[in-house]
Amino acid sequence: MITRRAFMKNGVAAFTVSLAAPAFLSDLARAQGASSRNLVVLDLSGGNDGLSMLVPYTDPFYYSRRPTLAIAAGSVLQIGSDTSGKPLGLHPKLAGLKDIFNQGRLALIQRVGYENSSRSHFFGTDIWSTANPSNSTGSGWVGRYLATLAPPLDPLVAWNTTGDTPHALQSPSVAVASIPSVSGYAFNSPNSGVEALIERSAAAEIASHVPVDKPHVAFVSTTAEAAMATLDRVAAVGGYKPTVTYPNNGFGQALQAIAGALVQGIGTKVFWVRTGGFDTHASQDTTADNGAYVKLMVTLNDGLSAFYADLKNHGLINDTLLLSFSEFGRRVTENGSKGTDHGAASMLMAIGGGVRGGMFGTTASLNPDAQNPTLENNGNDVHYETDFRSVYARVIDGWLGGDSIAVLGGSFKTGPAFV
């Protein structure tokens, strides 16, 4: 059986011309769009090494357990101490994020995870996506949140900047537009000019007929009509001229598209963006300019710094919250290939004008003693302190104005008060 999610999961690549949105869709866009709060979920795909991003530079075990990967204390960007009094510093390439931290608009949430952490990319991602360690095959937590919004939903209420719809956005009742390329989101016609316009008008006319006695045909027609009605709004994003220069890479360009959508007020409430390469089993190299992890930090820093500055220049940063996650952290001790293997808890970031910045939670002691309560797996991995669902609950309740108990299937209201 075809589902709305399956139909929409790869965007509307089959459609490529322009059509004015129906009045009710425009009204929905205004109601759910520019004047409302927005959420940007950032997936650091592969399992980010939190100990290289937020460095416990006074812990002697950090250096003894990472003889080639540890970052020198004199190089880290010091940002103060956590609530346990342990000094911490950002990776040297995160100067832009340090500036946002100094403005009080970056929250660093340490040791986030769950009991018996999965060290599988796929299973771990599914758990973070469903917000349910005991059922990783259900609908996504963001999808469930969207399903609680009052109908009818704007077809662009959520925008996935990647290809296939991420598990976290999936819901049986909500379609999510997957638009990795703004320029590619168009009505696909072999012709141009008047002929293409006629073809688009004909397609729109066909889609507008909804036969009540043929539910499958009606479903496809309704979905196609909604998709076509979004084309002009997405096209407007393609003409956006940012106030800053974004990095010329996939991550930077995705963030520029999100900024354009926010500035244009096209009606999107939730965005999804991904940057990968964090599965650093070998040659991780945290210090050399061409090192693998250094490049990851440069990509992250430059993209997020541009995004923050652009939205701030437009007066939109107070309406925007960016939340990062990764499917797991990395092992404390470096391996024989000068990399790090799959671990457990890691760190999350929250960025935005409404964020109460600072460090939340405590850093782990890296003493390899098997009795060390801040580590697990015989002292090999960082043990979680903050349940990841409590972070989601804070976002749902404190930022989006939703009902986290309904969305998450339980009460997780003890999370850090970063919003």
Side-chain angles (χ1 to χ4, degrees):
M1 174 180 176
I2 189 170
T3 66
R4 180 179 291 268
R5 174 173 60 80
F7 186 86
M8 288 294 289
K9 96 176 198 179
N10 290 313
V12 289
F15 304 96
T16 81
V17 227
S18 183
L19 179 70
F24 83 94
L25 290 178
S26 298
D27 292 341
L28 281 170
R30 285 191 290 272
Q32 299 173 354
S35 64
S36 65
R37 289 178 169 180
N38 303 283
L39 173 65
V40 180
V41 182
L42 168 58
D43 177 9
L44 304 179
S45 180
N48 181 38
D49 181 19
L51 294 175
S52 290
M53 189 172 179
L54 185 60
V55 181
Y57 61 91
T58 62
D59 188 331
F61 294 104
Y62 169 70
Y63 294 97
S64 63
R65 300 183 71 173
R66 295 188 167 204
T68 71
L69 295 182
I71 300 170
S75 298
V76 302
L77 304 178
Q78 298 182 20
I79 57 172
S81 301
D82 66 14
T83 55
S84 69
K86 293 180 181 178
L88 295 165
L90 290 170
H91 187 279
K93 294 298 184 181
L94 297 179
L97 291 185
K98 182 177 185 293
D99 182 59
I100 299 173
F101 183 87
N102 290 342
Q103 295 178 44
R105 299 308 178 204
L106 167 61
L108 302 169
I109 310 169
Q110 302 185 83
R111 294 171 56 199
V112 183
Y114 52 94
E115 199 66 58
N116 299 317
S117 177
S118 171
R119 290 159 179 80
S120 160
H121 289 295
F122 303 106
F123 192 37
T125 299
D126 284 340
I127 289 173
W128 279 84
S129 298
T130 62
N132 188 348
S134 63
N135 179 14
S136 62
T137 62
S139 59
W141 74 276
V142 180
R144 295 197 300 273
Y145 160 72
L146 293 172
T148 67
L149 299 178
L153 292 184
D154 188 286
L156 284 178
V157 68
W159 180 333
N160 165 39
T161 68
T162 67
D164 289 354
T165 304
H167 192 168
L169 298 180
Q170 294 176 12
S171 165
S173 60
V174 179
V176 172
S178 292
I179 312 174
S181 169
V182 171
S183 62
Y185 191 85
F187 183 82
N188 190 12
S189 170
N191 302 307
S192 59
V194 175
E195 289 184 348
L197 292 174
I198 292 173
E199 289 170 1
R200 175 172 167 169
S201 297
E205 181 67 21
I206 292 170
S208 68
H209 293 285
V210 182
V212 294
D213 58 333
K214 298 179 180 179
H216 287 83
V217 176
F219 170 74
V220 173
S221 295
T222 302
T223 304
E225 184 179 27
M228 293 183 69
T230 66
L231 295 177
D232 287 335
R233 283 187 281 159
V234 174
V237 174
Y240 172 62
K241 304 297 183 185
T243 63
V244 299
T245 301
Y246 282 83
N248 189 25
N249 54 41
F251 181 54
Q253 294 306 296
L255 290 174
Q256 179 175 321
I258 293 173
L262 294 174
V263 171
Q264 298 292 345
I266 68 170
T268 304
K269 191 173 184 67
V270 176
F271 298 88
W272 184 277
V273 64
R274 175 186 297 132
T275 182
F278 288 89
D279 195 20
T280 50
H281 286 284
S283 303
Q284 184 170 335
D285 198 342
T286 60
T287 57
D289 284 344
N290 63 346
Y293 197 78
V294 173
K295 291 179 179 178
L296 292 172
M297 293 295 96
V298 169
T299 296
L300 188 67
N301 179 80
D302 293 356
L304 293 179
S305 298
F307 183 67
Y308 182 90
D310 197 14
L311 292 187
K312 187 175 182 181
N313 291 341
H314 282 290
L316 291 172
I317 195 62
N318 289 342
D319 294 329
T320 304
L321 171 66
L322 182 143
L323 179 72
S324 77
F325 82 99
S326 197
E327 63 263 40
F328 45 66
R330 313 299 296 188
R331 190 145 290 183
V332 176
T333 302
E334 68 178 72
N335 60 32
S337 300
K338 298 182 179 180
T340 49
D341 296 324
H342 299 179
S346 189
M347 60 164 291
L348 272 63
M349 295 186 298
I351 299 174
V355 169
R356 301 184 186 100
M359 286 182 278
F360 294 83
T362 61
T363 191
S365 164
L366 302 186
N367 185 334
D369 186 342
Q371 302 305 311
N372 180 350
T374 66
L375 301 182
E376 62 180 64
N377 189 23
N378 294 316
N380 286 308
D381 301 327
V382 175
H383 185 64
Y384 88 100
E385 178 180 56
T386 296
D387 190 309
F388 74 111
R389 291 166 292 187
S390 71
V391 177
Y392 291 171
R394 177 66 62 171
V395 171
I396 295 166
D397 295 329
W399 181 253
L400 295 173
D403 181 353
S404 67
I405 294 178
V407 172
L408 301 177
S411 179
F412 300 95
K413 294 179 177 288
T414 58
F418 60 93
V419 290

